[in-house]
Amino acid sequence: DAAHMGGVRIYNENDPGDVTGIAELSSSEVDSDARLRQAVDTLLDDESFPGSGAQNTGKINYYNTTMTATFNTGNVTTNATNQGAVNTGLVLSTYRHFPLYGANTLYIEMELSFSNAIPTNTTIDFGAFLRNTTQPYAPTDGVYLRYTQAGLAAVLNYATSETVSSVFPKSKTDPTPWLPVVNRKYQFIISISLREVSFWVN
């Protein structure tokens, strides 16, 4: 009889309190047959640019104005000719679209490096979003990271209405903006559910 026995209730820690100052705990889910619910990762897409230096036109969508990309083995350089003039830009994307289902979480994982310090009046958006197909190729809906000279920030965009976070600090104890080291590769992860979004750097 569960009312007259000792027992342990298990909670999982989603956040030790880094975000709100209070630990976020959640209980595990058990079905009517006492089976613990488990989530199994499903790979929906992957592109590591292993090709011969050419665009994979069956998978990668590419629009540009003056600025050009080069497709190399293992990476893509987005501003191969170091364009710095106004009204230049480009966008790379996959043709794939990724759904959100109920309690599932969608993870977008990217590895990027920046070969130069970012110039004035330059914006780099990367993540999961729909976008215009003409300059300035601005996102019209989605969730993504934005890197400008001010630093790195998170963006939620609903039907062209953007909510932008403050720039990411270097650490909990150092409030100065986080800036990438030139030519160092970083891992960026965005986890998206119907209720919340989390952004990770390394």
Side-chain angles (χ1 to χ4, degrees), residues 76-148:
V76 173
T77 302
T78 55
N79 187 7
T81 55
N82 292 318
Q83 292 294 325
V86 297
N87 299 322
T88 64
L90 63 79
V91 61
L92 293 167
S93 65
T94 175
Y95 289 109
R96 291 286 306 270
H97 286 69
F98 305 97
L100 291 174
Y101 293 120
N104 289 349
T105 301
L106 176 68
Y107 288 90
I108 308 295
E109 181 177 327
M110 303 156 285
E111 291 187 0
L112 288 85
S113 64
F114 303 92
S115 57
N116 293 290
I118 192 165
T120 305
N121 298 323
T122 297
T123 300
I124 301 173
D125 292 326
F126 53 100
F129 55 85
L130 302 174
R131 77 284 178 275
N132 287 310
T133 57
T134 57
Q135 171 67 21
Y137 310 114
T140 58
D141 195 280
V143 181
Y144 44 96
L145 290 158
R146 173 168 290 160
Y147 178 39
T148 65

Side-chain angles (χ1 to χ4, degrees), residues 47-66:
E47 182 72 18
S48 56
F49 303 104
S52 59
Q55 176 190 350
N56 182 355
T57 55
K59 183 175 184 179
I60 301 297
N61 204 344
Y62 171 43
Y63 295 98
N64 69 308
T65 300
T66 306

Side-chain angles (χ1 to χ4, degrees), residues 121-198:
N121 298 323
T122 297
T123 300
I124 301 173
D125 292 326
F126 53 100
F129 55 85
L130 302 174
R131 77 284 178 275
N132 287 310
T133 57
T134 57
Q135 171 67 21
Y137 310 114
T140 58
D141 195 280
V143 181
Y144 44 96
L145 290 158
R146 173 168 290 160
Y147 178 39
T148 65
Q149 202 169 47
L152 183 71
V155 183
L156 303 179
N157 184 332
Y158 179 70
T160 71
S161 177
E162 289 187 340
T163 300
V164 184
S165 75
S166 55
V167 296
F168 292 4
K170 281 186 179 177
S171 68
K172 290 185 219 177
T173 57
D174 186 350
T176 57
W178 178 87
L179 295 172
V181 175
V182 169
N183 290 325
R184 177 180 293 175
K185 191 163 282 189
Y186 294 91
Q187 181 188 57
F188 299 92
I189 297 176
I190 306 174
S191 66
I192 309 166
S193 73
L194 293 177
R195 296 172 186 83
E196 68 179 25
V197 181
S198 298

Side-chain angles (χ1 to χ4, degrees), residues 10-62:
I10 299 174
Y11 286 82
N12 302 296
E13 184 178 77
N14 293 334
D15 172 40
D18 293 342
V19 177
T20 63
I22 300 171
E24 181 186 354
L25 305 176
S26 62
S27 60
S28 301
E29 293 186 32
V30 180
D31 68 14
S32 58
D33 287 325
R35 293 174 298 192
L36 186 65
R37 177 175 174 172
Q38 294 181 335
V40 179
D41 289 343
T42 302
L43 183 64
L44 299 178
D45 196 23
D46 179 62
E47 182 72 18
S48 56
F49 303 104
S52 59
Q55 176 190 350
N56 182 355
T57 55
K59 183 175 184 179
I60 301 297
N61 204 344
Y62 171 43

